[in-house]
C-alpha cells in the first residue's frame, strides 16, 4: 500500500541524490508538494556539528522544527527533487505524520519558488 503523503510531513529513507548516488544511511526529507503520482522533497539535515553550513545561502535553518524533526534542523533549498510515490515503499513518516509549522513551511516553499 502506498503512503499518503502531505505537504509539510517529514520522512526518513534512502532517496537517490540529484547526482545519482544513494546516501549511506536513511536521511530526513521534507515534503513540499504532492500530487497523485509524485511528491516533491527537499533534503534536510541536523545542525549539530554543522553550524557553519547555515552560512551557505542555499541552506535555511528551520526555527520551529519540532514537529516533525526531533533536532535542530536546516533544509537544503537546492536539493529539490520530484519522486514517484510508488518508489517510496520503504520510508518512515516522522512524528506520526504531523507537519511542519505553517509559517516555516511557507518560508521554505517561497524560497524554492522558481
Amino acid at each position: 500500500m502506498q503512503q499518503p503523503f502531505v505537504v509539510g510531513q517529514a520522512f526518513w529513507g534512502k532517496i537517490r541524490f540529484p547526482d545519482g548516488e544513494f546516501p549511506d544511511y536513511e536521511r530526513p526529507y521534507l515534503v513540499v508538494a504532492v500530487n497523485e503520482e509524485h511528491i516533491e522533497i527537499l533534503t534536510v539535515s541536523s545542525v549539530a556539528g554543522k553550524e557553519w553550513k547555515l552560512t551557505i545561502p542555499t541552506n535555511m535553518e528551520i526555527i520551529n522544527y519540532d514537529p516533525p524533526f526531533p533536532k535542530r534542523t536546516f533544509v537544503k533549498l537546492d536539493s529539490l527533487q520530484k519522486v514517484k510515490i510508488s518508489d517510496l515503499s520503504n520510508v518512515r513518516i516522522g512524528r506520526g505524520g504531523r507537519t511542519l509549522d505553517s509559517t516555516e513551511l511557507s518560508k521554505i516553499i517561497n524560497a524554492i519558488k522558481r
Side-chain angles (χ1 to χ4, degrees):
M1 183 173 137
Q2 294 179 359
Q3 299 267 6
F5 290 95
V6 175
V7 172
Q9 284 180 326
F11 69 87
W12 278 254
K14 289 185 176 185
I15 306 298
R16 187 182 307 274
F17 290 119
D19 68 5
E21 296 294 318
F22 275 98
D24 294 331
Y25 55 91
E26 285 191 340
R27 298 195 51 87
Y29 300 91
L30 176 65
V31 178
V32 295
V34 177
N35 69 34
E36 290 181 17
E37 296 183 20
H38 296 89
I39 61 172
E40 291 185 25
I41 59 172
L42 292 172
T43 302
V44 174
S45 187
S46 68
V47 173
K50 299 173 264 182
E51 289 79 5
W52 66 272
K53 289 189 175 190
L54 296 177
T55 64
I56 299 171
T58 56
N59 292 338
M60 177 188 287
E61 184 171 9
I62 301 173
I63 304 302
N64 296 316
Y65 55 85
D66 190 3
F69 303 103
K71 298 178 183 176
R72 188 174 166 210
T73 302
F74 68 95
V75 64
K76 299 175 181 190
L77 299 172
D78 61 350
S79 68
L80 185 65
Q81 296 182 75
K82 188 174 187 177
V83 182
K84 284 185 178 181
I85 293 172
S86 60
D87 292 342
L88 298 174
S89 59
N90 293 322
V91 301
R92 297 179 295 111
I93 302 290
R95 297 283 201 243
R98 292 170 54 203
T99 58
L100 184 65
D101 172 81
S102 62
T103 302
E104 294 286 343
L105 184 59
S106 291
K107 286 191 309 190
I108 292 166
I109 289 172
N110 286 333
I112 59 172
K113 288 282 185 201
R114 303 168 265 311

